[in-house]
Amino acid sequence: MKINKIGIIFLSCIFLFFVYGYNPRSTVAVVSVSEIKENSIVLINQLGEKTKVKVPSRFDTSKLNEESDYFVEYDSSIFRRNTLRKIKESK
């Protein structure tokens, strides 16, 4: 009986880890763009931390300027790459 309880606890921990890891969290920040590619951009927040973000095909990266600040919203998760949801120039 003790082995069954340990097994159930172990499986519950694994299940919760995967639910937590695959559940995306939304991040919103004012950033500058340091590197622009066709399918990804590198963002630098106000603390100087760099974040690489995957850009979906519906966004046009040719309009982005490395010298401007942007208001961005992106999804992040432990097991997936950060994915851009919204971007607009900060005024």
Side-chain angles (χ1 to χ4, degrees), residues 35-42 52-55 61 81:
E35 188 178 321
I36 302 170
K37 295 184 180 177
E38 186 177 324
N39 59 355
S40 67
I41 55 176
V42 177
K52 187 173 183 177
V53 178
K54 179 182 169 187
V55 179
T61 57
R81 290 181 56 190

Side-chain angles (χ1 to χ4, degrees), residues 18-91:
F18 280 107
V19 167
Y20 175 77
Y22 282 106
N23 189 14
R25 286 162 293 288
S26 184
T27 302
V28 178
V30 175
V31 298
S32 61
V33 178
S34 73
E35 188 178 321
I36 302 170
K37 295 184 180 177
E38 186 177 324
N39 59 355
S40 67
I41 55 176
V42 177
L43 308 173
I44 300 176
N45 67 10
Q46 294 175 339
L47 297 174
E49 298 170 337
K50 290 185 178 183
T51 304
K52 187 173 183 177
V53 178
K54 179 182 169 187
V55 179
S57 60
R58 68 176 186 260
F59 291 103
D60 184 13
T61 57
S62 66
K63 295 180 181 178
L64 299 178
N65 182 1
E66 290 184 6
E67 297 174 5
S68 298
D69 288 335
Y70 293 93
F71 179 78
V72 297
E73 180 178 349
Y74 61 91
D75 289 333
S76 59
S77 126
I78 294 174
F79 299 115
R80 298 183 198 163
R81 290 181 56 190
N82 300 326
T83 305
L84 187 66
R85 290 182 62 199
K86 294 181 186 177
I87 186 168
K88 66 180 185 177
E89 193 166 357
S90 178
K91 296 181 181 179

Side-chain angles (χ1 to χ4, degrees), residues 6-21:
I6 293 172
I8 291 172
I9 291 172
F10 179 72
L11 290 176
S12 298
C13 290
I14 290 174
F15 175 76
L16 290 174
F17 176 75
F18 280 107
V19 167
Y20 175 77

